[in-house]
Amino acid sequence: MAQTKPYPGTQAVLRAVSLLKVFTDQRPEWGLTELTQEVGLNKTTTFRLLTALESEGMITRNNQSDAYQLGPAIVMLGGRALRSNDLRSISRPELKALVASVGETASLELLTGHEMLILDEISGGHVMSGGQTIGTRWPAYATSTGKVMLASLDWDEVESILPQPLAAITPKTITSMDMLHRALDQVRVQGFAVVDEELEMGLRAVAAPLYDFDGDVAGVISLAGPTLRLTDQRLPAITELVLSAARRISVQLGAQPD
Amino acid sequence: MAQTKPYPGTQAVLRAVSLLKVFTDQRPEWGLTELTQEVGLNKTTTFRLLTALESEGMITRNNQSDAYQLGPAIVMLGGRALRSNDLRSISRPELKALVASVGETASLELLTGHEMLILDEISGGHVMSGGQTIGTRWPAYATSTGKVMLASLDWDEVESILPQPLAAITPKTITSMDMLHRALDQVRVQGFAVVDEELEMGLRAVAAPLYDFDGDVAGVISLAGPTLRLTDQRLPAITELVLSAARRISVQLGAQPD
DNA sequence: GCCGAGGTTTCATAATATGAAACGTAATTT
DNA sequence: AAATTACGTTTCATATTATGAAACCTCGGC
């Protein structure tokens, strides 16, 4: 499904990784036979790969149902990946400051494939234990952060990345490539992106790009909240806050302040 | 380091995973040659494995130094793994093992507001149908689990959370904020907390923290029983059991084994 | 303009991963 | 209770696939 580069001598590894990726939030547990069908491998091969992954803790078996699921080693590596990400540690204080002054939810995201990956999220509510959504992904074309990232690419690259047709997630979702093209142009001019109920009814978000030392977009931050609270009146001020937070982060990433 | 079972036909996968595990908090970035030496593989092999992992997003290259580091796919999988394994089902087998070896009551708890919420409880007696107390709450300042959770917070946060004055539940309850402050300091140093008749006369308990991938305290487990049976003699050994159970759970939550 | 230290590619070789089929074993049906 | 099915596991001969030595780039330092 996601063949990027066929490199020789790596079949087993690619297959093993594709097995891992089958475990989603919707379907976190699998039987061997199901997995075999899903990835289209021989049952023996699937079994062998799983056994290897299991011996390393990348896969565990729910000891009641003996179904396969992702294991502790994955969680451990995920934590390391997050902590070693300096983008995250640099951005975090700024995200916290944003949340403190606006009172909504701020996040740091990256484009992976055609989806936005949540690297960090500071919740505005009084819910402890953030991090529940870290690692989640959303379609790029229907998010504020996604629009920012897509706007940093050439249009033909955007076309090749996005799975078409664009599915309508809400009645307001942008579903025509033409409209998306124009929307991205606007993002480029403005320097930020807004999403208004395109991903979820009643949800608004503003996103601004983070630039690294050579002017590339290294990530995006956003502030999201209910339309009821992110009113038209407040939006300009909030946008300015998000933009200035993004600029401060960018400076720390080595970007030249315009 | 962690060779469990040498299963035939999985060399490449095992090698790939061992590569991933080399990326630690202490050393999150590696060059090809360094990696080669570290894992003891041929340079070509290492390169090929890394390329495969990179094509799947499991590894990225820091575009300034082109050093290898853990990639976004790992973050994504880590999030999924975390969300599919809840605290309770991970902890339960360890709680059961504790009860089996000590013979008292073990529990899993969380801080909610200023009280400890019992998420799970395995009864040591012959009382059938555990779970009677699940959902119950106890004041944090008078429980072993509560002390552990409070010790993970800043002192001013503790002050703002706790309703003052601290009510004396038994003659031994800590009722002065000063004494509590010192008690929490001790907990931080020790890495565990003990309650001795502060919640109920004749009741002792030992609690140890569970750490998640981020190093945050994700919950607490405890072992509680009558002072008559949890004697001074037995306490050190029991404490060690609780601590090691907590460590094993933490590993499954993605914590780094110290 | 040369040197050296990475990273990358080539290619012949055999070791390794592969899949068909057979085997256990537990759950479900008759 | 016997028979059937579904699922996980093991075996084994085969050639596909991973392997590593060596040659080859490419860049930064001298």
Side-chain angles (χ1 to χ4, degrees), chain A residues 11-23:
Chain A
Q11 194 194 61
V13 175
L14 293 177
R15 286 176 168 182
V17 175
S18 76
L19 270 176
L20 291 176
K21 290 188 174 175
V22 165
F23 295 83

Side-chain angles (χ1 to χ4, degrees), chain A residues 19-225:
Chain A
L19 270 176
L20 291 176
K21 290 188 174 175
V22 165
F23 295 83
T24 61
D25 285 333
Q26 287 74 40
R27 198 143 179 15
E29 299 204 342
W30 293 79
L32 176 59
T33 309
E34 299 171 305
L35 273 173
T36 300
Q37 288 162 355
E38 180 71 16
V39 296
L41 294 175
N42 181 283
K43 194 160 68 159
T44 311
T45 304
T46 309
F47 177 70
R48 220 173 326 92
L49 294 174
L50 285 171
T51 306
L53 292 170
E54 188 184 357
S55 78
E56 292 290 325
M58 304 289 278
I59 291 276
T60 329
R61 311 186 70 161
N62 182 341
N63 42 5
Q64 320 176 41
S65 63
D66 74 46
Y68 291 96
Q69 56 187 115
L70 294 175
I74 291 276
V75 182
M76 180 189 75
L77 289 173
R80 289 184 187 169
L82 280 176
R83 280 188 298 274
S84 72
N85 191 302
D86 40 339
L87 187 57
R88 185 169 180 256
S89 43
I90 291 175
S91 305
R92 177 159 266 201
E94 291 292 345
L95 293 184
K96 283 196 172 157
L98 261 181
V99 170
S101 63
V102 182
E104 301 296 344
T105 298
S107 70
L108 166 69
E109 306 182 18
L110 283 185
L111 180 68
T112 58
H114 61 95
E115 295 178 309
M116 298 307 297
L117 174 71
I118 302 184
L119 263 195
D120 204 358
E121 181 174 295
I122 310 289
S123 167
H126 304 289
V127 189
M128 302 296 275
S129 81
Q132 271 304 60
T133 57
I134 290 172
T136 314
R137 297 187 294 172
W138 295 111
Y141 69 95
T143 55
S144 58
T145 49
K147 286 192 203 170
V148 167
M149 291 279 354
L150 294 177
S152 75
L153 304 176
D154 294 332
W155 178 247
D156 49 357
E157 208 168 346
V158 173
E159 280 185 316
S160 76
I161 284 175
L162 292 185
Q164 295 170 47
L166 305 177
I169 301 168
T170 75
K172 290 205 180 178
T173 307
I174 296 179
T175 52
S176 104
M177 289 299 276
D178 260 14
M179 281 181 57
L180 184 62
H181 198 346
R182 262 170 284 142
L184 297 186
D185 281 343
Q186 197 193 345
V187 169
R188 269 183 283 262
V189 173
Q190 290 178 152
F192 64 90
V194 174
V195 144
D196 196 12
E197 308 194 315
E198 296 160 45
L199 179 67
E200 189 183 324
M201 292 309 286
L203 187 76
R204 269 191 179 172
V206 192
L210 310 177
Y211 294 104
D212 70 10
F213 64 99
D214 55 24
D216 293 335
V217 176
V220 207
I221 59 169
S222 77
L223 196 115

Side-chain angles (χ1 to χ4, degrees), chain A residues 4 7-8 10 13 21 23 25 28 47-49 55-56 74-75 80 83-84 88 112 132 134-135 137 213, chain B residues 4 7-8 10 21 23 25 28 47-48 55-56 64 72 76 80-84 213-214 253-254 256:
Chain A
T4 333
Y7 204 91
T10 56
V13 175
K21 290 188 174 175
F23 295 83
D25 285 333
F47 177 70
R48 220 173 326 92
L49 294 174
S55 78
E56 292 290 325
I74 291 276
V75 182
R80 289 184 187 169
R83 280 188 298 274
S84 72
R88 185 169 180 256
T112 58
Q132 271 304 60
I134 290 172
R137 297 187 294 172
F213 64 99
Chain B
T4 332
Y7 205 89
T10 56
K21 291 188 174 174
F23 295 83
D25 285 338
F47 176 70
R48 219 172 328 92
S55 78
E56 292 290 325
Q64 323 180 37
M76 178 190 79
R80 289 182 186 170
L82 207 56
R83 271 172 265 128
S84 71
F213 66 96
D214 237 352
L253 294 173
Q256 308 303 309

